[in-house]
């Protein structure tokens, strides 16, 4: 096991109607609040009214930034930064999915930085401070509610990059499974795939003798596989939505990478695809991940055998290791297809024109991944197999 440090300061407040604690949770941080949200789902669901009721209850002065895009854009983040400066905002409240949370984090860091917030994504500057953030999550997927990461798209340069800091962990996140009842089928599917992909990135590792981390990962996968299908069958199944929500948080809140060398190549590749084509992150992952698996499984076939047997219950009798591993990869593909995720880039109208460019961008700082280090040619192969 590798040496590691674990730090997670986010207070999780989980359960039905917990938004009624919002006012009390914000109180210690100030009264000048920037409310950040997306394209309107929170107005349709009535959550917006509940949030304003809470903010009014503490006498808050509220400014709003709405219209955060899925794959949030730098231009929109900059609008939020301007509001924070001119309105002397003390606290940034994100209400929505991962994109809204990520935008809020970038705004909170950018507001206290003299330069361009994009600097944080290209390692030109390190986040030294940020306004405090709180979140009310409405979609199970990214884990942004309990981590210090944000992913922002620069639409002019067609780049999608991450920033990360201990300063942008939410002070609190409210997770009410009922708020995810209205998530449409396609976004529920994208969330399921994203959660599973976060586990894959940390589970397919060359680090050995880590049974606790492996079983944590497998338990999240099994939970998502079972409850994902239940939530798709009945979007208002409280327990299924609750289990998905918690799985999403645990998949990326710093629990799984403890002592483990993690991979993250597939996320790197997917970010290049969505940077150019603006596709949903989960849809891109559903296409690319099985092809990444096929490309790398021979590096440590035993791990893929374990995955196949423990997660997909593949019967190893009469099969060699490669056959078992490939059966597990096929089961992954079949599950994604069964729940309605795309299997090829072609289905999203993407052809091979930009493969070289995407592979180039993904490897601009060198090879990516650790399970197998991927050079540009590897990425071209994985993307070509994904067409
Ligand atoms: O904008 P609104 O109207 O709110 O609608 C959203 C949006 O259209 C809708 N939605 C959200 N909650 C809903 C709902 N519709 C009805 N009812 C609800 N309760 O869903 C759509 C997608 O929302 P979005 O926030 O984009 O989805 P997600 O949570 O999957 O976030 C994706 C973004 O997160 C990044 C991705 O790259 C992508 O930009 N990621 C962030 C990570 C992190 N911070 O740690 C890690 C991830 O790997 C990922 O890269
Ligand atoms: Zn992801």
């Amino acid at each position: 096991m590798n040496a590691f440090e674990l730090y997670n300061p986010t207070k999780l407040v989980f359960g039905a109607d917990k938004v009624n604690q919002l006012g009390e949770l914000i109180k210690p941080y100030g009264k000048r609040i920037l409310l950040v949200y997306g394209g309107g789902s929170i107005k349709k669901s009535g959550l917006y009214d509940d949030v304003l009721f809470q903010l009014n209850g503490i006498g808050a002065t509220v400014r709003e930034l709405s219209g955060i895009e899925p794959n949030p854009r730098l231009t929109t983040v900059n609008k939020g930064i301007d509001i924070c400066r001119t309105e002397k905002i003390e606290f940034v409240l994100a209400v929505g999915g991962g994109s809204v949370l990520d935008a809020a984090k970038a705004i909170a860091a950018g507001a206290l930085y003299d330069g361009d917030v994009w600097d944080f994504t290209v390692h030109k500057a390190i986040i030294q401070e940020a306004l405090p953030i709180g979140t009310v999550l409405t979609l199970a997927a990214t884990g942004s509610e309990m981590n210090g990461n944000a992913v922002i798209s620069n639409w002019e340069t067609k780049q999608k990059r991450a920033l990360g800091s201990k300063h942008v962990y939410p002070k609190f996140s409210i997770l009410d499974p009922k708020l995810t009842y209205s998530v449409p089928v396609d976004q529920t599917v994208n969330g399921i795939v994203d959660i599973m992909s976060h586990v894959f990135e940390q589970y397919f590792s060359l680090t050995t003798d880590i049974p606790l981390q492996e079983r944590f990962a497998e338990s999240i996968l099994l939970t998502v596989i079972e409850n994902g299908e239940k939530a798709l069958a009945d979007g208002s199944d409280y327990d299924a939505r609750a289990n998905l929500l918690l799985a999403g948080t645990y998949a990326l809140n710093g629990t799984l990478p403890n002592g483990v060398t993690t991979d993250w190549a597939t996320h790197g590749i997917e970010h290049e695809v969505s940077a150019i084509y603006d596709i949903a992150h989960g849809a891109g992952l559903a296409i690319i991940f099985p092809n990444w698996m096929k490309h790398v499984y021979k590096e440590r076939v035993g791990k893929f055998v374990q995955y196949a047997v423990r997660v997909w219950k593949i019967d190893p009798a009469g099969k060699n290791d490669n056959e078992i591993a490939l059966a597990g990869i096929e089961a992954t593909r079949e599950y994604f297809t069964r729940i309605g995720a795309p299997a090829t880039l072609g289905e999203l109208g993407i052809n091979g024109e930009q493969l070289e460019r995407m592979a180039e961008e993904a490897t601009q700082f060198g090879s990516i991944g650790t399970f197998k280090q991927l050079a540009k040619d590897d990425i071209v192969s994985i993307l070509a197999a994904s067409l």
Side-chain angles (χ1 to χ4, degrees), residues 52-270:
L52 281 193
F53 179 80
Q54 287 290 315
L55 297 179
N56 290 337
I58 57 166
T61 301
V62 182
R63 295 290 175 264
E64 295 191 12
L65 178 68
S66 62
I68 303 296
E69 310 83 359
N71 297 331
R73 298 190 180 180
L74 178 62
T75 44
T76 313
V77 166
N78 279 328
K79 280 187 203 160
I81 292 171
D82 286 345
I83 300 174
C84 287
R85 289 179 182 156
T86 52
E87 299 290 334
K88 304 207 169 1
I89 294 296
E90 295 170 308
F91 187 84
V92 183
L93 176 64
V95 182
S99 293
V100 171
L101 274 54
D102 285 5
K105 290 176 180 177
I107 291 167
L112 301 187
Y113 173 63
D114 280 341
D116 181 352
V117 67
W118 190 250
D119 291 352
F120 297 134
T121 71
V122 289
H123 313 297
K124 242 177 99 180
I126 292 172
I127 297 172
Q128 304 286 358
E129 54 181 341
L131 289 171
I133 305 159
T135 88
V136 181
L137 183 68
T138 63
L139 200 168
T142 65
S144 189
E145 63 276 13
M146 201 176 181
N147 69 39
N149 306 323
V151 185
I152 302 297
S153 292
N154 184 335
W155 200 237
E156 280 163 26
T157 59
K158 298 254 186 290
Q159 288 174 310
K160 183 172 182 178
R161 294 280 179 268
L163 58 84
S165 166
K166 65 179 182 182
H167 299 292
V168 296
Y169 276 81
K171 299 293 178 197
F172 63 81
S173 282
I174 296 177
L175 274 62
D176 173 356
K178 281 164 62 183
L179 295 176
T180 67
Y181 286 177
S182 58
V183 176
V185 168
D186 59 344
Q187 295 298 349
T188 303
V189 170
N190 292 338
I192 291 167
V193 174
D194 195 22
I195 297 168
M196 291 176 68
S197 300
H198 294 159
V199 179
F200 295 153
E201 300 281 18
Q202 302 168 91
Y203 177 73
F204 292 111
S205 168
L206 296 180
T207 313
T208 54
D209 208 3
I210 43 164
L212 184 62
Q213 294 90 326
E214 289 179 337
R215 289 189 172 104
F216 275 155
E218 289 154 0
S219 71
I220 295 175
L221 289 172
L222 289 165
T223 301
V224 175
I225 290 164
E226 281 168 28
N227 289 276
E229 291 201 293
K230 285 187 194 165
L232 287 168
D234 174 4
S236 305
D237 178 335
Y238 183 87
D239 289 324
R241 289 291 195 182
N243 289 322
L244 269 189
L245 202 53
L246 191 59
T249 302
Y250 269 88
L252 202 50
N253 72 350
T255 301
L256 299 183
N258 295 167
V260 179
T261 302
T262 57
D263 192 83
W264 295 104
T266 310
H267 266 68
I269 300 170
E270 195 291 318

